[in-house]
């Protein structure tokens, strides 16, 4: 009876030394995550190799070493290019290449004697690449041309450290290295931290001959004793199944890696190219973001479209979703690419047709509140109303106001916030208005009465958040006019100053000495804060309250030319002619009672 399958026709495996592995041609496909190992991870690999060396070395020789197993990697042969496409293992391949490059440099730096030096340099060069036609090519290639260029020049063409540093100082490199989250910067860090590790290890010895012996032995350990099990699958479907199986058995991968793998595994062959393109588009959008990574985008996109899910459960939910019907893997990848572009529009590239208020509120959500869970709702609003500036503005205002109320004032839980935002997003998807969303979801989590009660005693010990609070109250008081944003021309004024003097604030100085924490609490209460033009703020500084209110110079709270409303009403709250904690309480209570519900309406 014939067997149903021939296992070797599906998958095969080879145990390869590092030099045997690195001499082969490998490519990192577009759908793979970029190089992400941090210096800490790279240094751990160096430490492990050095520890392995110490365990088996005798007088800087390796008479009988054991192998160092670096794990398994999964590849698929690309019959067109002849290269092995890396499904899992590119972080280790890339890191090993940087290690070989640094050791290659050191062979010349320590002037290892011939003929050994030429032989070892040839091995190192063959591990890194080869000269084809009229140019060098790396054995490990990347679909991203910029990463490919940087890797080629940093690991192969620029042999010595000084040559690498000269290359990194070029205008193109400086531009790329300014992006601290990029794969190029991670490669740079891997090389720099590797040099630091090798410098320390070699320079433990004082004798030059022993240094050379240690270097040569370490080079041989890395190239000959490091062993990788390379699993070759005959199809992408099998490769992805192996990839997932390895993860299930303890090799940790990110949710993003698992989701990408699942999409490609369940997709039809004809769909995979577009899925890869959509994934790459999404990744490129978030790579340039300072506030959101790919795992965040995946989570927020799902919350925005499909309902609440915890971040740790995202993979299982996506897996079940894309498996529930044919074609969903492709449609999911399209959703992700669409939401990545939307996120870029909501955080970086605002539509010029949107109102100035919309731009200002999006800036406040991003730079002041810093509440990332606003974005699932904003994604839904953008998809529905990006061309309707009035409706979009109403949804932006709603989620900003709710986030401020619930998280910054009422100290609500992030889990409840995620639930509320997800529920609200689904209503937006159905075409519900901001008023309907507020009535059905947000009001029950941040009701007016509870919000006002907590805001009456709220203190905001952050200049950005404090100015956010007084800005929106002042804007409400001005009834149509708009105060200037916080910046060079408009400052945050503390009526009771941060550094009161005994001459002008004797009672406050005594109160501060009695209880500095209580002083700090009142210092940052809304009742003690004002928006104020920079010229007035700089002029009055820490002067007494009488001078601040009116001094005849025009640089005072009651200046006739001052368009702001709240500074002119400070005198109403003096207690026996002084500004006290009671003054702050009374003013804050009045501001909150009179203006807060309108300033942050739901």
């Amino acid at each position: 009876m014939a067997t149903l399958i021939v296992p070797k026709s599906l998958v095969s495996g080879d145990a390869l030394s590092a030099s045997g592995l690195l001499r082969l041609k490998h490519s990192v496909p577009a759908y793979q995550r970029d190089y992400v190992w941090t210096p800490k991870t790279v240094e751990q690999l160096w430490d492990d190799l050095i520890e392995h060396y110490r365990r088996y070395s005798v007088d800087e020789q390796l008479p009988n070493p054991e192998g160092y197993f670096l794990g398994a990697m999964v590849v698929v042969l690309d019959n067109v290019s002849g290269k092995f496409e890396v499904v899992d293992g590119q972080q280790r391949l890339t890191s090993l290449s940087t290690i070989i490059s640094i050791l290659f440099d050191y062979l010349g730096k320590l002037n290892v004697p011939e003929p050994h030096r030429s032989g070892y340099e040839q091995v190192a060069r063959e591990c890194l690449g080869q000269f084809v036609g009229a140019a060098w090519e790396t054995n490990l290639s990347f679909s991203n041309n910029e990463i490919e260029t940087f890797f080629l020049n940093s690991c192969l063409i620029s042999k010595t450290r000084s040559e690498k540093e000269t290359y990194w100082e070029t205008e193109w490199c400086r531009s790329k290295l300014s992006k601290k989250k990029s794969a190029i910067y991670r490669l740079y860090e891997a090389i720099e931290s590797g040099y630091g590790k090798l410098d320390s290890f070699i320079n433990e010895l004082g004798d030059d001959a022993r240094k050379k012996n240690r270097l040569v032995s370490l080079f041989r350990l890395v190239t000959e004793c490091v062993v990788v099990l390379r699993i070759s699958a005959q199809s992408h479907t099998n490769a992805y199944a192996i990839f997932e199986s390895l993860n299930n058995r303890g090799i940790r991968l990110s949710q993003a890696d698992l989701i990408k793998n699942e999409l490609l595994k369940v997709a039809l062959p004809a769909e995979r190219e577009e899925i890869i393109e959509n994934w790459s588009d999404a990744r490129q959008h978030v790579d340039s973001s300072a506030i959101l990574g790919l795992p965040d985008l995946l989570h927020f996109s799902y919350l925005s479209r499909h309902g609440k899910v915890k971040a740790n459960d995202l993979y299982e939910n996506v897996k079940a979703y894309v498996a529930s019907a044919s074609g969903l893997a492709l449609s999911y990848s399209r959703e992700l690419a669409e939401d990545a572009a939307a996120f870029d529009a909501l955080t970086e590239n605002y539509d010029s047709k949107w109102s100035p208020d919309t731009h200002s509120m999006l800036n406040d959500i991003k730079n002041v509140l810093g509440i990332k869970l606003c974005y699932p709702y904003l994604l839904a609003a953008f998809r529905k109303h990006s061309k309707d500036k009035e409706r979009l503005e109403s949804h932006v205002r709603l989620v900003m106001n709710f986030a401020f109320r619930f998280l910054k004032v009422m100290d609500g839980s992030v889990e409840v916030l995620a639930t509320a935002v997800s529920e609200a997003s689904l209503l937006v998807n159905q075409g519900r208005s901001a008023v309907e969303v507020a009535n059905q979801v947000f009001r029950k989590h941040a009701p007016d009465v509870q919000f006002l009660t907590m805001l009456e005693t709220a203190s905001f010990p952050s200049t950005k958040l404090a100015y956010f609070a007084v800005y929106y109250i002042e804007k409400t008081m001005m009834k149509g006019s708009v105060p200037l944003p916080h910046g060079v021309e408009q400052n945050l004024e503390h009526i009771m100053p941060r550094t009161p003097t005994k001459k002008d604030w004797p009672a406050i100085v005594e109160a501060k000495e009695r209880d500095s924490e209580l002083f700090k609490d009142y210092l940052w209460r809304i009742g003690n804060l004002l928006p104020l033009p920079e010229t007035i703020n700089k002029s009055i500084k820490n002067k007494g309250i009488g001078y601040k209110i009116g001094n005849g110079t025009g640089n005072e709270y009651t200046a006739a030319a001052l368009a702001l409303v709240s500074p002119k009403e400070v005198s109403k709250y003096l207690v026996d002619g002084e500004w006290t904690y009671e003054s702050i309480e009374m003013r804050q209570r009045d501001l909150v009672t009179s203006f807060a519900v309108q300033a942050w309406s739901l």
Side-chain angles (χ1 to χ4, degrees), residues 53-288:
Y53 174 89
R54 294 188 195 279
R55 184 178 299 130
Y56 294 102
S57 66
V58 177
D59 196 25
E60 309 309 330
Q61 303 292 328
L62 295 169
N64 190 29
E66 292 286 336
Y68 176 84
F69 183 56
L70 196 55
M73 62 178 292
V74 183
V75 299
V76 178
L77 178 63
D78 183 336
N79 292 316
V80 176
S81 67
K83 296 180 180 181
F84 290 95
E85 186 177 296
V86 181
V87 176
D88 180 35
Q90 75 118 331
Q91 307 295 320
R92 283 164 290 162
L93 271 178
T94 306
S95 299
L96 273 176
S97 297
T98 66
I99 290 172
I100 296 294
S101 175
I102 294 166
L103 291 170
F104 186 13
D105 176 13
Y106 251 79
L107 290 169
K109 179 179 178 179
L110 292 189
N111 197 24
V112 172
E114 297 289 5
H116 298 90
R117 173 178 162 186
S118 295
Y120 295 135
E121 286 184 339
Q122 181 177 342
V123 171
R125 193 175 287 110
E126 290 174 354
C127 286
L128 296 172
Q130 54 185 284
F131 197 75
V132 179
W136 282 101
E137 292 182 0
T138 53
N139 293 335
L140 178 61
S141 59
F142 299 83
S143 59
N144 184 304
N145 290 331
E146 291 183 345
I147 298 173
E148 173 82 11
T149 298
F150 186 84
F151 182 73
L152 170 67
N153 282 277
S154 297
C155 289
L156 182 57
I157 292 177
S158 301
K159 178 188 172 185
T160 67
R161 188 172 191 172
S162 63
E163 288 171 351
K164 297 181 200 299
E165 290 172 345
T166 299
Y167 170 66
W168 295 334
E169 283 298 315
T170 62
E171 183 177 352
W172 183 86
C173 277
R174 287 202 308 272
S175 170
K176 301 305 172 185
L177 291 172
S178 67
K179 299 175 181 178
K180 306 301 184 185
K181 287 187 174 182
S182 68
I184 286 176
Y185 190 77
R186 292 296 195 201
L187 276 168
Y188 159 77
E189 287 185 313
I191 295 170
E192 282 284 69
S193 58
Y195 269 112
K197 282 293 180 183
L198 188 58
D199 286 344
S200 297
F201 182 55
I202 295 299
N203 290 325
E204 288 177 354
L205 306 173
D207 180 71
D208 286 346
R210 294 190 68 204
K211 285 183 179 181
K212 293 173 185 178
N213 287 338
R214 171 172 281 193
L215 173 66
V216 167
S217 295
L218 180 64
F219 180 84
R220 293 193 63 190
L221 180 140
V222 172
T223 54
E224 300 173 32
C225 299
V226 171
V227 177
V228 176
L229 176 61
R230 196 184 69 156
I231 302 171
S232 300
Q234 301 306 310
S235 70
H236 284 89
T237 301
N238 291 331
Y240 304 138
I242 295 165
F243 177 79
E244 184 177 9
S245 177
L246 288 172
N247 179 70
N248 288 339
R249 284 154 181 78
I251 299 177
R252 293 178 59 83
L253 300 169
S254 74
Q255 296 267 357
D257 295 321
L258 291 170
I259 289 171
K260 172 199 65 187
N261 171 58
E262 191 64 27
L263 298 182
L264 294 168
K265 186 174 74 173
V266 304
L268 297 172
E271 297 173 333
R272 287 180 183 142
E273 184 175 350
E274 184 182 343
I275 289 174
I276 290 170
E277 290 177 0
N278 291 336
W279 190 272
S280 296
D281 287 346
R283 187 177 64 189
Q284 287 173 10
H285 277 297
V286 296
D287 276 352
S288 60

Side-chain angles (χ1 to χ4, degrees), residues 12 18 50 57 149 168 195 227 247-248 280 330 371 396 453 488 495 549 569:
S12 61
I50 289 171
S57 66
T149 298
W168 295 334
Y195 269 112
V227 177
N247 179 70
N248 288 339
S280 296
L330 179 58
I371 301 174
V396 173
T453 299
V488 175
I495 302 171
I549 291 172
E569 298 184 352

